[in-house]
Amino acid sequence: QGRIVASAIPMLPSCEKCRRPTVVCVCDRIVSYPTDRRVLILQHPQEQDVLLGTAQLLIASLPKAKLVVGLSWRNLAHVLDEEEVDVRRWAVLFPDREAPAGQVTGRKGVVVDPRSLEGIVVLDGTWSKAKTLWWRNPWLLKLSRMNLAPARPSIYGRLREEPRREYVSTLESVAAALTLCGEAPEIETGLCRVFRTLVQRVRDAELAVEARKLPRSTRRPRTP
């Protein structure tokens, strides 16, 4: 199945801010939600500019969210571009069939209170690309691991199929994680609302599914 990308309908006018076709742009629905937790999005290079991608929605909505594009980094401090980071207070969102849903597990199996976390790391891409990021960054194993089990299928519906029912979009994962960490539940509600709007506008516009990318000159640079 192809992926809907922002360059799929080149004749349509595009939003200068989000670069999506204006018929599906949701910049008018973006709300800023201050949070206590930081969110770090590691995006696979091939996930850039996908029309139904949700990373940019998170960046626009969460002041403490940061997006970096690439395949591998030395450690968490490197990707955050900070001298020191307490990895004990960060968790990565990645499925763990052996852990209970809604549990954060630290090294050596120690259960961590999600409210004690400073930040969350999420891998942005299709499931196969997320696994690539996981295996290419062994330092992720030094972080606690957050295991989520969504109560309902992804808002994507049939527009973007996932290999398993419990696999949802980056936005839905982060929204649920923030709630688990004690952030206001209306943040999750608001994030999912704007995502539903995007999905509905794409459906209403009846955009074709393509597999082309935007020209490299207009794409975001990769991080070192």
Side-chain angles (χ1 to χ4, degrees), residues 200-216:
Q200 188 58 54
R201 289 182 179 180
V202 169
R203 289 197 181 104
D204 291 344
E206 298 182 346
L207 295 186
V209 176
E210 299 288 345
R212 287 177 289 146
K213 288 288 186 179
L214 289 172
R216 289 187 178 275

mmCIF file of all heavy atoms in Angstrom, residues 200-216:
data_model
loop_
_atom_site.group_PDB
_atom_site.id
_atom_site.type_symbol
_atom_site.label_atom_id
_atom_site.label_comp_id
_atom_site.label_asym_id
_atom_site.label_seq_id
_atom_site.Cartn_x
_atom_site.Cartn_y
_atom_site.Cartn_z
ATOM 1 N N GLN A 200 -10.263 13.276 8.414
ATOM 2 C CA GLN A 200 -11.556 13.522 7.757
ATOM 3 C C GLN A 200 -11.384 14.417 6.536
ATOM 4 O O GLN A 200 -12.025 14.199 5.499
ATOM 5 C CB GLN A 200 -12.536 14.150 8.736
ATOM 6 C CG GLN A 200 -13.957 14.264 8.188
ATOM 7 C CD GLN A 200 -14.516 12.907 7.787
ATOM 8 O OE1 GLN A 200 -14.531 11.980 8.597
ATOM 9 N NE2 GLN A 200 -14.975 12.784 6.546
ATOM 10 N N ARG A 201 -10.510 15.420 6.645
ATOM 11 C CA ARG A 201 -10.314 16.318 5.506
ATOM 12 C C ARG A 201 -9.630 15.598 4.345
ATOM 13 O O ARG A 201 -9.909 15.893 3.177
ATOM 14 C CB ARG A 201 -9.515 17.551 5.944
ATOM 15 C CG ARG A 201 -10.333 18.480 6.832
ATOM 16 C CD ARG A 201 -9.587 19.731 7.251
ATOM 17 N NE ARG A 201 -10.442 20.566 8.083
ATOM 18 C CZ ARG A 201 -10.076 21.734 8.611
ATOM 19 N NH1 ARG A 201 -8.855 22.212 8.390
ATOM 20 N NH2 ARG A 201 -10.938 22.432 9.349
ATOM 21 N N VAL A 202 -8.743 14.676 4.672
ATOM 22 C CA VAL A 202 -8.111 13.888 3.615
ATOM 23 C C VAL A 202 -9.154 13.015 2.926
ATOM 24 O O VAL A 202 -9.178 12.892 1.700
ATOM 25 C CB VAL A 202 -6.967 13.025 4.191
ATOM 26 C CG1 VAL A 202 -6.484 12.010 3.157
ATOM 27 C CG2 VAL A 202 -5.807 13.907 4.629
ATOM 28 N N ARG A 203 -10.020 12.413 3.714
ATOM 29 C CA ARG A 203 -11.094 11.597 3.132
ATOM 30 C C ARG A 203 -12.019 12.444 2.256
ATOM 31 O O ARG A 203 -12.369 12.064 1.141
ATOM 32 C CB ARG A 203 -11.909 10.921 4.235
ATOM 33 C CG ARG A 203 -11.206 9.795 4.972
ATOM 34 C CD ARG A 203 -12.228 8.956 5.728
ATOM 35 N NE ARG A 203 -11.593 7.881 6.473
ATOM 36 C CZ ARG A 203 -11.413 7.889 7.797
ATOM 37 N NH1 ARG A 203 -11.818 8.931 8.509
ATOM 38 N NH2 ARG A 203 -10.834 6.880 8.409
ATOM 39 N N ASP A 204 -12.412 13.606 2.777
ATOM 40 C CA ASP A 204 -13.336 14.462 2.038
ATOM 41 C C ASP A 204 -12.722 14.961 0.732
ATOM 42 O O ASP A 204 -13.421 15.129 -0.271
ATOM 43 C CB ASP A 204 -13.736 15.671 2.897
ATOM 44 C CG ASP A 204 -14.604 15.279 4.087
ATOM 45 O OD1 ASP A 204 -15.137 14.146 4.085
ATOM 46 O OD2 ASP A 204 -14.730 16.094 5.023
ATOM 47 N N ALA A 205 -11.398 15.211 0.755
ATOM 48 C CA ALA A 205 -10.718 15.709 -0.440
ATOM 49 C C ALA A 205 -10.466 14.602 -1.459
ATOM 50 O O ALA A 205 -10.122 14.881 -2.606
ATOM 51 C CB ALA A 205 -9.391 16.367 -0.057
ATOM 52 N N GLU A 206 -10.612 13.354 -1.003
ATOM 53 C CA GLU A 206 -10.410 12.195 -1.882
ATOM 54 C C GLU A 206 -9.062 12.245 -2.585
ATOM 55 O O GLU A 206 -8.949 12.016 -3.788
ATOM 56 C CB GLU A 206 -11.538 12.104 -2.919
ATOM 57 C CG GLU A 206 -12.914 11.909 -2.299
ATOM 58 C CD GLU A 206 -14.010 11.781 -3.337
ATOM 59 O OE1 GLU A 206 -13.759 12.107 -4.511
ATOM 60 O OE2 GLU A 206 -15.116 11.338 -2.970
ATOM 61 N N LEU A 207 -8.031 12.543 -1.796
ATOM 62 C CA LEU A 207 -6.684 12.598 -2.362
ATOM 63 C C LEU A 207 -6.203 11.203 -2.715
ATOM 64 O O LEU A 207 -6.449 10.237 -2.002
ATOM 65 C CB LEU A 207 -5.711 13.240 -1.370
ATOM 66 C CG LEU A 207 -5.975 14.712 -1.041
ATOM 67 C CD1 LEU A 207 -4.860 15.251 -0.167
ATOM 68 C CD2 LEU A 207 -6.096 15.539 -2.312
ATOM 69 N N ALA A 208 -5.490 11.097 -3.833
ATOM 70 C CA ALA A 208 -4.975 9.806 -4.274
ATOM 71 C C ALA A 208 -3.810 9.375 -3.404
ATOM 72 O O ALA A 208 -3.110 10.185 -2.813
ATOM 73 C CB ALA A 208 -4.532 9.876 -5.734
ATOM 74 N N VAL A 209 -3.614 8.089 -3.313
ATOM 75 C CA VAL A 209 -2.477 7.539 -2.576
ATOM 76 C C VAL A 209 -1.299 7.441 -3.529
ATOM 77 O O VAL A 209 -1.375 6.799 -4.562
ATOM 78 C CB VAL A 209 -2.803 6.151 -2.008
ATOM 79 C CG1 VAL A 209 -1.589 5.559 -1.324
ATOM 80 C CG2 VAL A 209 -3.958 6.262 -1.024
ATOM 81 N N GLU A 210 -0.214 8.110 -3.186
ATOM 82 C CA GLU A 210 0.985 8.103 -4.018
ATOM 83 C C GLU A 210 2.178 7.688 -3.168
ATOM 84 O O GLU A 210 2.077 7.533 -1.956
ATOM 85 C CB GLU A 210 1.223 9.493 -4.629
ATOM 86 C CG GLU A 210 0.096 9.984 -5.527
ATOM 87 C CD GLU A 210 0.069 9.232 -6.850
ATOM 88 O OE1 GLU A 210 1.061 8.553 -7.166
ATOM 89 O OE2 GLU A 210 -0.957 9.325 -7.549
ATOM 90 N N ALA A 211 3.318 7.563 -3.770
ATOM 91 C CA ALA A 211 4.518 7.181 -3.020
ATOM 92 C C ALA A 211 5.666 8.129 -3.311
ATOM 93 O O ALA A 211 6.811 7.811 -3.050
ATOM 94 C CB ALA A 211 4.930 5.753 -3.374
ATOM 95 N N ARG A 212 5.388 9.308 -3.869
ATOM 96 C CA ARG A 212 6.455 10.253 -4.178
ATOM 97 C C ARG A 212 6.743 11.165 -2.998
ATOM 98 O O ARG A 212 5.896 11.392 -2.148
ATOM 99 C CB ARG A 212 6.061 11.106 -5.394
ATOM 100 C CG ARG A 212 6.104 10.346 -6.706
ATOM 101 C CD ARG A 212 5.642 11.209 -7.849
ATOM 102 N NE ARG A 212 4.203 11.440 -7.749
ATOM 103 C CZ ARG A 212 3.613 12.574 -8.123
ATOM 104 N NH1 ARG A 212 4.348 13.554 -8.568
ATOM 105 N NH2 ARG A 212 2.319 12.718 -8.016
ATOM 106 N N LYS A 213 7.942 11.720 -2.984
ATOM 107 C CA LYS A 213 8.354 12.614 -1.919
ATOM 108 C C LYS A 213 8.472 14.033 -2.451
ATOM 109 O O LYS A 213 8.558 14.266 -3.651
ATOM 110 C CB LYS A 213 9.717 12.184 -1.359
ATOM 111 C CG LYS A 213 9.657 10.902 -0.535
ATOM 112 C CD LYS A 213 8.971 11.152 0.782
ATOM 113 C CE LYS A 213 9.052 9.918 1.669
ATOM 114 N NZ LYS A 213 8.407 10.136 2.961
ATOM 115 N N LEU A 214 8.506 14.991 -1.533
ATOM 116 C CA LEU A 214 8.777 16.355 -1.927
ATOM 117 C C LEU A 214 10.210 16.465 -2.420
ATOM 118 O O LEU A 214 11.072 15.668 -2.037
ATOM 119 C CB LEU A 214 8.586 17.293 -0.726
ATOM 120 C CG LEU A 214 7.153 17.524 -0.250
ATOM 121 C CD1 LEU A 214 7.194 18.304 1.044
ATOM 122 C CD2 LEU A 214 6.356 18.262 -1.294
ATOM 123 N N PRO A 215 10.523 17.448 -3.264
ATOM 124 C CA PRO A 215 11.911 17.645 -3.705
ATOM 125 C C PRO A 215 12.817 17.815 -2.497
ATOM 126 O O PRO A 215 12.439 18.417 -1.494
ATOM 127 C CB PRO A 215 11.822 18.939 -4.531
ATOM 128 C CG PRO A 215 10.399 18.987 -4.987
ATOM 129 C CD PRO A 215 9.594 18.404 -3.854
ATOM 130 N N ARG A 216 14.019 17.299 -2.586
ATOM 131 C CA ARG A 216 14.935 17.347 -1.436
ATOM 132 C C ARG A 216 15.202 18.756 -0.967
ATOM 133 O O ARG A 216 15.432 18.993 0.211
ATOM 134 C CB ARG A 216 16.263 16.649 -1.803
ATOM 135 C CG ARG A 216 16.123 15.154 -1.929
ATOM 136 C CD ARG A 216 17.494 14.501 -2.117
ATOM 137 N NE ARG A 216 17.355 13.056 -2.196
ATOM 138 C CZ ARG A 216 17.302 12.267 -1.147
ATOM 139 N NH1 ARG A 216 17.369 12.783 0.049
ATOM 140 N NH2 ARG A 216 17.180 10.946 -1.296
#
